[in-house]
Amino acid sequence: MILKKLRPEDSRLTRPLWERVFDEDTEEFLNYYYSVRTEDNEIYVIGKDGDIHAMLHLNPYVLQVGQKEEGSRYIVAVATDILYRGQGLMTELLQKAVRDMYARKLPFAFLMPASEQIYYPHHFRFIYAAEQWKAEGRPGEKLTAYGLLGRGAKGGQVTLSLARPKDCQRLARFAEEILRKKYNVYAKRTRHYYEVLLKEQASENGGILIAEKDGEIRGTVLFDEENGFAVREPVLAPGYRNVFDEAGLHLKKLKKRKPMIMARILHVESLLACMKCREEMELEFWLVDPVIRENNRLFTLKGNEERTVVRTRAAKPGETVQKISVDALTTLVFGYKSVEETEKEEQETFSDEFKKELEKLIPLNKVFLNEIV
């Protein structure tokens, strides 16, 4: 069997495999995906005699990572036909894609796992747990988007509307201002981002609700009506936590977050260079990466409140230095778990000196990656 990257014009050859493996996805969603998302994504496949037996899609995103804008890839539609499972095809695809992304100096790639256990052996670790929200209407009413439109508070101070293509630039400006202040890792909001998102939401019988007050956007929320009225994390302006409530749409945040996005560090220098320190710091470690051999080097990270410098070199004979796996580094850089929890989970031991210097590094722990594809 042959592993290759498809030409863009051949992307539709993977649709039959998608329909067999992900049979819960609707025709409307697949029509959207194969007409919009495949315009600029990359698809790796393994096949023989013209038949595709396994695939992996890389959807491009521009992320804000710390103080820098960086390219990244959202890994989706990792699938193997049922007759060819258990032959390592998924491993081949992931390793090829990971190495190619490293060559482009992408800091990390991310995905939404069907199961953590599937991607854990491939050096992916959780970095983001999504808030869970529930939408409620007025007592006794059936909640629908069109039933909410034009509804406002007393005096018409707050109104709800359904986002349209002409609103995309306004949505981008609003969201970017909010997210930039609140998070240190998120997908950059642009007009194009929202143009694509509107099409995606429409394919799932949904859209974007806008709450306006005094002529300005004060909040937005994604919704779909495939199975009732479901919402994803709203974006709310400071001081307008209850803006949707004022228009009769009660958004209730549930207590428990849901682990949602896993990531795999790719080009370590690029990721570390996005970070800052609380004070003067010098952190040194030997990275262990079984897949990206170029990452198996000694890293020296020097920084302060203003800048961070990353240098690498080969270890010298007899040199003793702290070792850390790419798995543990992912968890610690994104601050998803404590050092102690990471040591236990990854079965690694870190020196007191390493821990002391690590505490000076500001983790990328304010993550907002609630994209679906």
Side-chain angles (χ1 to χ4, degrees), residues 4 6 17 28 40 44 55 116 133 139 168 174 179 184 207 209 219 230 243 257 277 303-304 306 319 327 336:
K4 65 179 181 180
L6 288 182
L17 177 58
E28 290 77 13
D40 59 358
Y44 291 78
M55 67 178 178
E116 177 184 6
W133 290 74
C168 288
F174 167 76
L179 300 181
N184 51 24
L209 278 174
V243 69
R257 287 174 172 258
C277 312
N304 51 36
E306 299 298 324
E319 189 173 26
D327 315 312
Y336 193 79

mmCIF file with all atom_site columns, all heavy atoms in Angstrom, residues 4 6 17 28 40 44 55 116 133 139 168 174 179 184 207 209 219 230 243 257 277 303-304 306 319 327 336:
data_model
loop_
_atom_site.group_PDB
_atom_site.id
_atom_site.type_symbol
_atom_site.label_atom_id
_atom_site.label_alt_id
_atom_site.label_comp_id
_atom_site.label_asym_id
_atom_site.label_entity_id
_atom_site.label_seq_id
_atom_site.pdbx_PDB_ins_code
_atom_site.Cartn_x
_atom_site.Cartn_y
_atom_site.Cartn_z
_atom_site.occupancy
_atom_site.B_iso_or_equiv
_atom_site.pdbx_formal_charge
_atom_site.auth_seq_id
_atom_site.auth_comp_id
_atom_site.auth_asym_id
_atom_site.auth_atom_id
_atom_site.pdbx_PDB_model_num
ATOM 1   N N   . LYS A 1 4   ? 0.399   8.688  0.606  1.00 0.00 ? 4   LYS A N   1
ATOM 2   C CA  . LYS A 1 4   ? 0.647   9.900  -0.183 1.00 0.00 ? 4   LYS A CA  1
ATOM 3   C C   . LYS A 1 4   ? -0.260  11.029 0.273  1.00 0.00 ? 4   LYS A C   1
ATOM 4   O O   . LYS A 1 4   ? -1.254  10.819 0.980  1.00 0.00 ? 4   LYS A O   1
ATOM 5   C CB  . LYS A 1 4   ? 0.428   9.639  -1.666 1.00 0.00 ? 4   LYS A CB  1
ATOM 6   C CG  . LYS A 1 4   ? -1.010  9.306  -2.043 1.00 0.00 ? 4   LYS A CG  1
ATOM 7   C CD  . LYS A 1 4   ? -1.151  9.086  -3.553 1.00 0.00 ? 4   LYS A CD  1
ATOM 8   C CE  . LYS A 1 4   ? -2.601  8.773  -3.938 1.00 0.00 ? 4   LYS A CE  1
ATOM 9   N NZ  . LYS A 1 4   ? -2.750  8.561  -5.393 1.00 0.00 ? 4   LYS A NZ  1
ATOM 10  N N   . LEU A 1 6   ? -2.875  13.750 -1.031 1.00 0.00 ? 6   LEU A N   1
ATOM 11  C CA  . LEU A 1 6   ? -3.731  13.947 -2.193 1.00 0.00 ? 6   LEU A CA  1
ATOM 12  C C   . LEU A 1 6   ? -3.577  15.340 -2.782 1.00 0.00 ? 6   LEU A C   1
ATOM 13  O O   . LEU A 1 6   ? -3.317  16.313 -2.070 1.00 0.00 ? 6   LEU A O   1
ATOM 14  C CB  . LEU A 1 6   ? -5.198  13.739 -1.811 1.00 0.00 ? 6   LEU A CB  1
ATOM 15  C CG  . LEU A 1 6   ? -5.694  12.329 -1.531 1.00 0.00 ? 6   LEU A CG  1
ATOM 16  C CD1 . LEU A 1 6   ? -7.178  12.372 -1.220 1.00 0.00 ? 6   LEU A CD1 1
ATOM 17  C CD2 . LEU A 1 6   ? -5.426  11.402 -2.705 1.00 0.00 ? 6   LEU A CD2 1
ATOM 18  N N   . LEU A 1 17  ? -15.086 6.976  2.153  1.00 0.00 ? 17  LEU A N   1
ATOM 19  C CA  . LEU A 1 17  ? -14.531 6.449  3.400  1.00 0.00 ? 17  LEU A CA  1
ATOM 20  C C   . LEU A 1 17  ? -15.121 7.199  4.584  1.00 0.00 ? 17  LEU A C   1
ATOM 21  O O   . LEU A 1 17  ? -15.472 6.593  5.604  1.00 0.00 ? 17  LEU A O   1
ATOM 22  C CB  . LEU A 1 17  ? -13.008 6.553  3.389  1.00 0.00 ? 17  LEU A CB  1
ATOM 23  C CG  . LEU A 1 17  ? -12.288 6.104  4.675  1.00 0.00 ? 17  LEU A CG  1
ATOM 24  C CD1 . LEU A 1 17  ? -12.617 4.654  5.013  1.00 0.00 ? 17  LEU A CD1 1
ATOM 25  C CD2 . LEU A 1 17  ? -10.775 6.295  4.531  1.00 0.00 ? 17  LEU A CD2 1
ATOM 26  N N   . GLU A 1 28  ? -25.677 17.231 4.685  1.00 0.00 ? 28  GLU A N   1
ATOM 27  C CA  . GLU A 1 28  ? -25.503 18.678 4.673  1.00 0.00 ? 28  GLU A CA  1
ATOM 28  C C   . GLU A 1 28  ? -24.113 19.061 5.199  1.00 0.00 ? 28  GLU A C   1
ATOM 29  O O   . GLU A 1 28  ? -23.448 19.939 4.623  1.00 0.00 ? 28  GLU A O   1
ATOM 30  C CB  . GLU A 1 28  ? -26.578 19.361 5.528  1.00 0.00 ? 28  GLU A CB  1
ATOM 31  C CG  . GLU A 1 28  ? -27.971 19.315 4.951  1.00 0.00 ? 28  GLU A CG  1
ATOM 32  C CD  . GLU A 1 28  ? -28.655 17.960 5.112  1.00 0.00 ? 28  GLU A CD  1
ATOM 33  O OE1 . GLU A 1 28  ? -28.145 17.111 5.893  1.00 0.00 ? 28  GLU A OE1 1
ATOM 34  O OE2 . GLU A 1 28  ? -29.682 17.740 4.449  1.00 0.00 ? 28  GLU A OE2 1
ATOM 35  N N   . ASP A 1 40  ? -8.508  24.425 1.222  1.00 0.00 ? 40  ASP A N   1
ATOM 36  C CA  . ASP A 1 40  ? -7.156  24.784 1.650  1.00 0.00 ? 40  ASP A CA  1
ATOM 37  C C   . ASP A 1 40  ? -6.546  23.791 2.643  1.00 0.00 ? 40  ASP A C   1
ATOM 38  O O   . ASP A 1 40  ? -5.535  24.075 3.259  1.00 0.00 ? 40  ASP A O   1
ATOM 39  C CB  . ASP A 1 40  ? -7.148  26.181 2.272  1.00 0.00 ? 40  ASP A CB  1
ATOM 40  C CG  . ASP A 1 40  ? -8.072  26.292 3.484  1.00 0.00 ? 40  ASP A CG  1
ATOM 41  O OD1 . ASP A 1 40  ? -8.742  25.296 3.823  1.00 0.00 ? 40  ASP A OD1 1
ATOM 42  O OD2 . ASP A 1 40  ? -8.115  27.375 4.100  1.00 0.00 ? 40  ASP A OD2 1
ATOM 43  N N   . TYR A 1 44  ? -3.863  13.261 3.829  1.00 0.00 ? 44  TYR A N   1
ATOM 44  C CA  . TYR A 1 44  ? -2.945  12.135 3.644  1.00 0.00 ? 44  TYR A CA  1
ATOM 45  C C   . TYR A 1 44  ? -3.779  10.858 3.572  1.00 0.00 ? 44  TYR A C   1
ATOM 46  O O   . TYR A 1 44  ? -4.739  10.672 4.346  1.00 0.00 ? 44  TYR A O   1
ATOM 47  C CB  . TYR A 1 44  ? -1.981  12.028 4.819  1.00 0.00 ? 44  TYR A CB  1
ATOM 48  C CG  . TYR A 1 44  ? -0.958  13.140 4.914  1.00 0.00 ? 44  TYR A CG  1
ATOM 49  C CD1 . TYR A 1 44  ? -1.295  14.391 5.413  1.00 0.00 ? 44  TYR A CD1 1
ATOM 50  C CD2 . TYR A 1 44  ? 0.371   12.932 4.526  1.00 0.00 ? 44  TYR A CD2 1
ATOM 51  C CE1 . TYR A 1 44  ? -0.360  15.412 5.509  1.00 0.00 ? 44  TYR A CE1 1
ATOM 52  C CE2 . TYR A 1 44  ? 1.312   13.941 4.622  1.00 0.00 ? 44  TYR A CE2 1
ATOM 53  C CZ  . TYR A 1 44  ? 0.939   15.179 5.111  1.00 0.00 ? 44  TYR A CZ  1
ATOM 54  O OH  . TYR A 1 44  ? 1.876   16.173 5.207  1.00 0.00 ? 44  TYR A OH  1
ATOM 55  N N   . MET A 1 55  ? -7.207  7.508  6.038  1.00 0.00 ? 55  MET A N   1
ATOM 56  C CA  . MET A 1 55  ? -6.989  8.926  5.721  1.00 0.00 ? 55  MET A CA  1
ATOM 57  C C   . MET A 1 55  ? -6.783  9.737  6.982  1.00 0.00 ? 55  MET A C   1
ATOM 58  O O   . MET A 1 55  ? -7.124  9.317  8.102  1.00 0.00 ? 55  MET A O   1
ATOM 59  C CB  . MET A 1 55  ? -8.176  9.493  4.943  1.00 0.00 ? 55  MET A CB  1
ATOM 60  C CG  . MET A 1 55  ? -9.469  9.570  5.742  1.00 0.00 ? 55  MET A CG  1
ATOM 61  S SD  . MET A 1 55  ? -10.827 10.298 4.771  1.00 0.00 ? 55  MET A SD  1
ATOM 62  C CE  . MET A 1 55  ? -12.187 10.193 5.955  1.00 0.00 ? 55  MET A CE  1
ATOM 63  N N   . GLU A 1 116 ? -9.413  9.400  24.357 1.00 0.00 ? 116 GLU A N   1
ATOM 64  C CA  . GLU A 1 116 ? -8.053  9.777  24.742 1.00 0.00 ? 116 GLU A CA  1
ATOM 65  C C   . GLU A 1 116 ? -7.077  8.635  24.498 1.00 0.00 ? 116 GLU A C   1
ATOM 66  O O   . GLU A 1 116 ? -5.934  8.844  24.079 1.00 0.00 ? 116 GLU A O   1
ATOM 67  C CB  . GLU A 1 116 ? -8.035  10.169 26.223 1.00 0.00 ? 116 GLU A CB  1
ATOM 68  C CG  . GLU A 1 116 ? -6.651  10.506 26.759 1.00 0.00 ? 116 GLU A CG  1
ATOM 69  C CD  . GLU A 1 116 ? -6.662  10.794 28.254 1.00 0.00 ? 116 GLU A CD  1
ATOM 70  O OE1 . GLU A 1 116 ? -7.723  10.618 28.892 1.00 0.00 ? 116 GLU A OE1 1
ATOM 71  O OE2 . GLU A 1 116 ? -5.596  11.169 28.788 1.00 0.00 ? 116 GLU A OE2 1
ATOM 72  N N   . TRP A 1 133 ? -22.281 24.614 28.468 1.00 0.00 ? 133 TRP A N   1
ATOM 73  C CA  . TRP A 1 133 ? -23.363 25.565 28.649 1.00 0.00 ? 133 TRP A CA  1
ATOM 74  C C   . TRP A 1 133 ? -24.695 24.950 28.245 1.00 0.00 ? 133 TRP A C   1
ATOM 75  O O   . TRP A 1 133 ? -24.769 24.100 27.351 1.00 0.00 ? 133 TRP A O   1
ATOM 76  C CB  . TRP A 1 133 ? -23.112 26.813 27.808 1.00 0.00 ? 133 TRP A CB  1
ATOM 77  C CG  . TRP A 1 133 ? -21.972 27.651 28.307 1.00 0.00 ? 133 TRP A CG  1
ATOM 78  C CD1 . TRP A 1 133 ? -20.634 27.374 28.191 1.00 0.00 ? 133 TRP A CD1 1
ATOM 79  C CD2 . TRP A 1 133 ? -22.054 28.886 29.013 1.00 0.00 ? 133 TRP A CD2 1
ATOM 80  N NE1 . TRP A 1 133 ? -19.887 28.365 28.778 1.00 0.00 ? 133 TRP A NE1 1
ATOM 81  C CE2 . TRP A 1 133 ? -20.731 29.321 29.272 1.00 0.00 ? 133 TRP A CE2 1
ATOM 82  C CE3 . TRP A 1 133 ? -23.126 29.692 29.422 1.00 0.00 ? 133 TRP A CE3 1
ATOM 83  C CZ2 . TRP A 1 133 ? -20.459 30.502 29.958 1.00 0.00 ? 133 TRP A CZ2 1
ATOM 84  C CZ3 . TRP A 1 133 ? -22.852 30.878 30.082 1.00 0.00 ? 133 TRP A CZ3 1
ATOM 85  C CH2 . TRP A 1 133 ? -21.532 31.275 30.347 1.00 0.00 ? 133 TRP A CH2 1
ATOM 86  N N   . PRO A 1 139 ? -40.345 30.216 30.666 1.00 0.00 ? 139 PRO A N   1
ATOM 87  C CA  . PRO A 1 139 ? -41.139 29.058 31.122 1.00 0.00 ? 139 PRO A CA  1
ATOM 88  C C   . PRO A 1 139 ? -42.233 28.680 30.131 1.00 0.00 ? 139 PRO A C   1
ATOM 89  O O   . PRO A 1 139 ? -42.984 29.532 29.657 1.00 0.00 ? 139 PRO A O   1
ATOM 90  C CB  . PRO A 1 139 ? -41.736 29.559 32.444 1.00 0.00 ? 139 PRO A CB  1
ATOM 91  C CG  . PRO A 1 139 ? -40.770 30.592 32.929 1.00 0.00 ? 139 PRO A CG  1
ATOM 92  C CD  . PRO A 1 139 ? -40.261 31.272 31.680 1.00 0.00 ? 139 PRO A CD  1
ATOM 93  N N   . CYS A 1 168 ? -19.686 39.492 9.438  1.00 0.00 ? 168 CYS A N   1
ATOM 94  C CA  . CYS A 1 168 ? -18.467 38.759 9.772  1.00 0.00 ? 168 CYS A CA  1
ATOM 95  C C   . CYS A 1 168 ? -17.318 39.656 10.220 1.00 0.00 ? 168 CYS A C   1
ATOM 96  O O   . CYS A 1 168 ? -16.570 39.307 11.136 1.00 0.00 ? 168 CYS A O   1
ATOM 97  C CB  . CYS A 1 168 ? -18.040 37.882 8.598  1.00 0.00 ? 168 CYS A CB  1
ATOM 98  S SG  . CYS A 1 168 ? -19.133 36.460 8.366  1.00 0.00 ? 168 CYS A SG  1
ATOM 99  N N   . PHE A 1 174 ? -15.073 42.199 17.294 1.00 0.00 ? 174 PHE A N   1
ATOM 100 C CA  . PHE A 1 174 ? -15.588 42.012 18.649 1.00 0.00 ? 174 PHE A CA  1
ATOM 101 C C   . PHE A 1 174 ? -14.881 40.862 19.354 1.00 0.00 ? 174 PHE A C   1
ATOM 102 O O   . PHE A 1 174 ? -14.350 41.008 20.464 1.00 0.00 ? 174 PHE A O   1
ATOM 103 C CB  . PHE A 1 174 ? -17.099 41.756 18.608 1.00 0.00 ? 174 PHE A CB  1
ATOM 104 C CG  . PHE A 1 174 ? -17.658 41.240 19.901 1.00 0.00 ? 174 PHE A CG  1
ATOM 105 C CD1 . PHE A 1 174 ? -17.850 42.094 20.972 1.00 0.00 ? 174 PHE A CD1 1
ATOM 106 C CD2 . PHE A 1 174 ? -17.977 39.889 20.042 1.00 0.00 ? 174 PHE A CD2 1
ATOM 107 C CE1 . PHE A 1 174 ? -18.361 41.609 22.179 1.00 0.00 ? 174 PHE A CE1 1
ATOM 108 C CE2 . PHE A 1 174 ? -18.488 39.402 21.235 1.00 0.00 ? 174 PHE A CE2 1
ATOM 109 C CZ  . PHE A 1 174 ? -18.685 40.271 22.310 1.00 0.00 ? 174 PHE A CZ  1
ATOM 110 N N   . LEU A 1 179 ? -11.073 37.977 23.157 1.00 0.00 ? 179 LEU A N   1
ATOM 111 C CA  . LEU A 1 179 ? -10.212 36.810 23.330 1.00 0.00 ? 179 LEU A CA  1
ATOM 112 C C   . LEU A 1 179 ? -8.769  37.199 23.591 1.00 0.00 ? 179 LEU A C   1
ATOM 113 O O   . LEU A 1 179 ? -8.065  36.531 24.355 1.00 0.00 ? 179 LEU A O   1
ATOM 114 C CB  . LEU A 1 179 ? -10.307 35.903 22.095 1.00 0.00 ? 179 LEU A CB  1
ATOM 115 C CG  . LEU A 1 179 ? -11.704 35.345 21.762 1.00 0.00 ? 179 LEU A CG  1
ATOM 116 C CD1 . LEU A 1 179 ? -11.638 34.443 20.547 1.00 0.00 ? 179 LEU A CD1 1
ATOM 117 C CD2 . LEU A 1 179 ? -12.296 34.611 22.942 1.00 0.00 ? 179 LEU A CD2 1
ATOM 118 N N   . ASN A 1 184 ? -4.346  33.076 26.092 1.00 0.00 ? 184 ASN A N   1
ATOM 119 C CA  . ASN A 1 184 ? -3.035  33.151 25.438 1.00 0.00 ? 184 ASN A CA  1
ATOM 120 C C   . ASN A 1 184 ? -2.863  32.106 24.341 1.00 0.00 ? 184 ASN A C   1
ATOM 121 O O   . ASN A 1 184 ? -1.822  32.050 23.695 1.00 0.00 ? 184 ASN A O   1
ATOM 122 C CB  . ASN A 1 184 ? -1.880  33.088 26.449 1.00 0.00 ? 184 ASN A CB  1
ATOM 123 C CG  . ASN A 1 184 ? -1.977  31.922 27.410 1.00 0.00 ? 184 ASN A CG  1
ATOM 124 O OD1 . ASN A 1 184 ? -2.603  30.913 27.109 1.00 0.00 ? 184 ASN A OD1 1
ATOM 125 N ND2 . ASN A 1 184 ? -1.359  32.060 28.574 1.00 0.00 ? 184 ASN A ND2 1
ATOM 126 N N   . GLY A 1 207 ? -26.410 28.306 13.747 1.00 0.00 ? 207 GLY A N   1
ATOM 127 C CA  . GLY A 1 207 ? -25.929 29.614 13.346 1.00 0.00 ? 207 GLY A CA  1
ATOM 128 C C   . GLY A 1 207 ? -25.235 30.305 14.497 1.00 0.00 ? 207 GLY A C   1
ATOM 129 O O   . GLY A 1 207 ? -24.792 29.668 15.456 1.00 0.00 ? 207 GLY A O   1
ATOM 130 N N   . LEU A 1 209 ? -25.874 33.533 17.152 1.00 0.00 ? 209 LEU A N   1
ATOM 131 C CA  . LEU A 1 209 ? -26.755 34.559 17.671 1.00 0.00 ? 209 LEU A CA  1
ATOM 132 C C   . LEU A 1 209 ? -25.926 35.737 18.178 1.00 0.00 ? 209 LEU A C   1
ATOM 133 O O   . LEU A 1 209 ? -24.903 35.554 18.855 1.00 0.00 ? 209 LEU A O   1
ATOM 134 C CB  . LEU A 1 209 ? -27.602 34.018 18.820 1.00 0.00 ? 209 LEU A CB  1
ATOM 135 C CG  . LEU A 1 209 ? -28.863 33.232 18.439 1.00 0.00 ? 209 LEU A CG  1
ATOM 136 C CD1 . LEU A 1 209 ? -29.502 32.646 19.692 1.00 0.00 ? 209 LEU A CD1 1
ATOM 137 C CD2 . LEU A 1 209 ? -29.866 34.123 17.702 1.00 0.00 ? 209 LEU A CD2 1
ATOM 138 N N   . GLY A 1 219 ? -22.353 40.320 22.909 1.00 0.00 ? 219 GLY A N   1
ATOM 139 C CA  . GLY A 1 219 ? -22.171 38.894 23.120 1.00 0.00 ? 219 GLY A CA  1
ATOM 140 C C   . GLY A 1 219 ? -22.550 38.106 21.880 1.00 0.00 ? 219 GLY A C   1
ATOM 141 O O   . GLY A 1 219 ? -23.372 38.555 21.071 1.00 0.00 ? 219 GLY A O   1
ATOM 142 N N   . ALA A 1 230 ? -29.013 23.556 21.259 1.00 0.00 ? 230 ALA A N   1
ATOM 143 C CA  . ALA A 1 230 ? -27.745 23.386 21.970 1.00 0.00 ? 230 ALA A CA  1
ATOM 144 C C   . ALA A 1 230 ? -26.821 24.553 21.672 1.00 0.00 ? 230 ALA A C   1
ATOM 145 O O   . ALA A 1 230 ? -26.817 25.086 20.553 1.00 0.00 ? 230 ALA A O   1
ATOM 146 C CB  . ALA A 1 230 ? -27.074 22.077 21.564 1.00 0.00 ? 230 ALA A CB  1
ATOM 147 N N   . VAL A 1 243 ? -26.154 39.463 29.212 1.00 0.00 ? 243 VAL A N   1
ATOM 148 C CA  . VAL A 1 243 ? -26.794 40.178 28.120 1.00 0.00 ? 243 VAL A CA  1
ATOM 149 C C   . VAL A 1 243 ? -27.832 39.323 27.388 1.00 0.00 ? 243 VAL A C   1
ATOM 150 O O   . VAL A 1 243 ? -28.882 39.825 26.959 1.00 0.00 ? 243 VAL A O   1
ATOM 151 C CB  . VAL A 1 243 ? -25.731 40.728 27.139 1.00 0.00 ? 243 VAL A CB  1
ATOM 152 C CG1 . VAL A 1 243 ? -25.030 39.589 26.376 1.00 0.00 ? 243 VAL A CG1 1
ATOM 153 C CG2 . VAL A 1 243 ? -26.344 41.718 26.169 1.00 0.00 ? 243 VAL A CG2 1
ATOM 154 N N   . ARG A 1 257 ? -16.240 21.118 33.471 1.00 0.00 ? 257 ARG A N   1
ATOM 155 C CA  . ARG A 1 257 ? -15.691 21.268 32.128 1.00 0.00 ? 257 ARG A CA  1
ATOM 156 C C   . ARG A 1 257 ? -15.507 19.884 31.493 1.00 0.00 ? 257 ARG A C   1
ATOM 157 O O   . ARG A 1 257 ? -15.365 18.888 32.197 1.00 0.00 ? 257 ARG A O   1
ATOM 158 C CB  . ARG A 1 257 ? -14.338 21.978 32.175 1.00 0.00 ? 257 ARG A CB  1
ATOM 159 C CG  . ARG A 1 257 ? -14.420 23.471 32.478 1.00 0.00 ? 257 ARG A CG  1
ATOM 160 C CD  . ARG A 1 257 ? -13.033 24.050 32.656 1.00 0.00 ? 257 ARG A CD  1
ATOM 161 N NE  . ARG A 1 257 ? -13.046 25.504 32.763 1.00 0.00 ? 257 ARG A NE  1
ATOM 162 C CZ  . ARG A 1 257 ? -12.736 26.337 31.795 1.00 0.00 ? 257 ARG A CZ  1
ATOM 163 N NH1 . ARG A 1 257 ? -12.366 25.864 30.603 1.00 0.00 ? 257 ARG A NH1 1
ATOM 164 N NH2 . ARG A 1 257 ? -12.761 27.636 31.977 1.00 0.00 ? 257 ARG A NH2 1
ATOM 165 N N   . CYS A 1 277 ? 8.576   34.678 30.773 1.00 0.00 ? 277 CYS A N   1
ATOM 166 C CA  . CYS A 1 277 ? 8.944   34.272 32.121 1.00 0.00 ? 277 CYS A CA  1
ATOM 167 C C   . CYS A 1 277 ? 8.496   35.326 33.132 1.00 0.00 ? 277 CYS A C   1
ATOM 168 O O   . CYS A 1 277 ? 8.352   36.503 32.803 1.00 0.00 ? 277 CYS A O   1
ATOM 169 C CB  . CYS A 1 277 ? 10.450  34.075 32.238 1.00 0.00 ? 277 CYS A CB  1
ATOM 170 S SG  . CYS A 1 277 ? 11.148  33.077 30.905 1.00 0.00 ? 277 CYS A SG  1
ATOM 171 N N   . GLY A 1 303 ? 15.310  33.469 29.717 1.00 0.00 ? 303 GLY A N   1
ATOM 172 C CA  . GLY A 1 303 ? 14.331  34.512 29.501 1.00 0.00 ? 303 GLY A CA  1
ATOM 173 C C   . GLY A 1 303 ? 14.105  35.390 30.706 1.00 0.00 ? 303 GLY A C   1
ATOM 174 O O   . GLY A 1 303 ? 14.638  35.145 31.793 1.00 0.00 ? 303 GLY A O   1
ATOM 175 N N   . ASN A 1 304 ? 13.296  36.411 30.488 1.00 0.00 ? 304 ASN A N   1
ATOM 176 C CA  . ASN A 1 304 ? 12.854  37.305 31.549 1.00 0.00 ? 304 ASN A CA  1
ATOM 177 C C   . ASN A 1 304 ? 11.468  37.828 31.163 1.00 0.00 ? 304 ASN A C   1
ATOM 178 O O   . ASN A 1 304 ? 10.821  37.260 30.289 1.00 0.00 ? 304 ASN A O   1
ATOM 179 C CB  . ASN A 1 304 ? 13.857  38.450 31.751 1.00 0.00 ? 304 ASN A CB  1
ATOM 180 C CG  . ASN A 1 304 ? 14.191  39.158 30.449 1.00 0.00 ? 304 ASN A CG  1
ATOM 181 O OD1 . ASN A 1 304 ? 13.338  39.327 29.574 1.00 0.00 ? 304 ASN A OD1 1
ATOM 182 N ND2 . ASN A 1 304 ? 15.444  39.569 30.298 1.00 0.00 ? 304 ASN A ND2 1
ATOM 183 N N   . GLU A 1 306 ? 10.667  40.258 29.452 1.00 0.00 ? 306 GLU A N   1
ATOM 184 C CA  . GLU A 1 306 ? 10.626  40.894 28.139 1.00 0.00 ? 306 GLU A CA  1
ATOM 185 C C   . GLU A 1 306 ? 10.738  39.929 26.967 1.00 0.00 ? 306 GLU A C   1
ATOM 186 O O   . GLU A 1 306 ? 10.055  40.065 25.959 1.00 0.00 ? 306 GLU A O   1
ATOM 187 C CB  . GLU A 1 306 ? 11.741  41.944 28.039 1.00 0.00 ? 306 GLU A CB  1
ATOM 188 C CG  . GLU A 1 306 ? 11.621  43.052 29.067 1.00 0.00 ? 306 GLU A CG  1
ATOM 189 C CD  . GLU A 1 306 ? 10.335  43.849 28.919 1.00 0.00 ? 306 GLU A CD  1
ATOM 190 O OE1 . GLU A 1 306 ? 9.910   44.049 27.762 1.00 0.00 ? 306 GLU A OE1 1
ATOM 191 O OE2 . GLU A 1 306 ? 9.766   44.258 29.947 1.00 0.00 ? 306 GLU A OE2 1
ATOM 192 N N   . GLU A 1 319 ? 27.707  14.154 30.206 1.00 0.00 ? 319 GLU A N   1
ATOM 193 C CA  . GLU A 1 319 ? 26.951  15.295 30.719 1.00 0.00 ? 319 GLU A CA  1
ATOM 194 C C   . GLU A 1 319 ? 25.647  14.825 31.362 1.00 0.00 ? 319 GLU A C   1
ATOM 195 O O   . GLU A 1 319 ? 24.927  13.999 30.815 1.00 0.00 ? 319 GLU A O   1
ATOM 196 C CB  . GLU A 1 319 ? 26.661  16.259 29.579 1.00 0.00 ? 319 GLU A CB  1
ATOM 197 C CG  . GLU A 1 319 ? 26.065  17.575 30.007 1.00 0.00 ? 319 GLU A CG  1
ATOM 198 C CD  . GLU A 1 319 ? 25.964  18.555 28.849 1.00 0.00 ? 319 GLU A CD  1
ATOM 199 O OE1 . GLU A 1 319 ? 25.879  18.100 27.686 1.00 0.00 ? 319 GLU A OE1 1
ATOM 200 O OE2 . GLU A 1 319 ? 25.973  19.765 29.099 1.00 0.00 ? 319 GLU A OE2 1
ATOM 201 N N   . ASP A 1 327 ? 5.778   14.207 25.837 1.00 0.00 ? 327 ASP A N   1
ATOM 202 C CA  . ASP A 1 327 ? 4.451   14.108 26.442 1.00 0.00 ? 327 ASP A CA  1
ATOM 203 C C   . ASP A 1 327 ? 4.344   14.999 27.675 1.00 0.00 ? 327 ASP A C   1
ATOM 204 O O   . ASP A 1 327 ? 3.416   15.787 27.818 1.00 0.00 ? 327 ASP A O   1
ATOM 205 C CB  . ASP A 1 327 ? 4.150   12.658 26.825 1.00 0.00 ? 327 ASP A CB  1
ATOM 206 C CG  . ASP A 1 327 ? 4.510   11.675 25.741 1.00 0.00 ? 327 ASP A CG  1
ATOM 207 O OD1 . ASP A 1 327 ? 4.129   11.913 24.587 1.00 0.00 ? 327 ASP A OD1 1
ATOM 208 O OD2 . ASP A 1 327 ? 5.185   10.675 26.030 1.00 0.00 ? 327 ASP A OD2 1
ATOM 209 N N   . TYR A 1 336 ? -1.757  22.204 31.835 1.00 0.00 ? 336 TYR A N   1
ATOM 210 C CA  . TYR A 1 336 ? -3.011  21.456 31.988 1.00 0.00 ? 336 TYR A CA  1
ATOM 211 C C   . TYR A 1 336 ? -3.048  20.690 33.312 1.00 0.00 ? 336 TYR A C   1
ATOM 212 O O   . TYR A 1 336 ? -4.112  20.502 33.899 1.00 0.00 ? 336 TYR A O   1
ATOM 213 C CB  . TYR A 1 336 ? -3.199  20.499 30.816 1.00 0.00 ? 336 TYR A CB  1
ATOM 214 C CG  . TYR A 1 336 ? -4.592  19.921 30.719 1.00 0.00 ? 336 TYR A CG  1
ATOM 215 C CD1 . TYR A 1 336 ? -5.638  20.679 30.182 1.00 0.00 ? 336 TYR A CD1 1
ATOM 216 C CD2 . TYR A 1 336 ? -4.883  18.641 31.156 1.00 0.00 ? 336 TYR A CD2 1
ATOM 217 C CE1 . TYR A 1 336 ? -6.926  20.164 30.089 1.00 0.00 ? 336 TYR A CE1 1
ATOM 218 C CE2 . TYR A 1 336 ? -6.166  18.116 31.076 1.00 0.00 ? 336 TYR A CE2 1
ATOM 219 C CZ  . TYR A 1 336 ? -7.178  18.881 30.544 1.00 0.00 ? 336 TYR A CZ  1
ATOM 220 O OH  . TYR A 1 336 ? -8.462  18.367 30.463 1.00 0.00 ? 336 TYR A OH  1
#
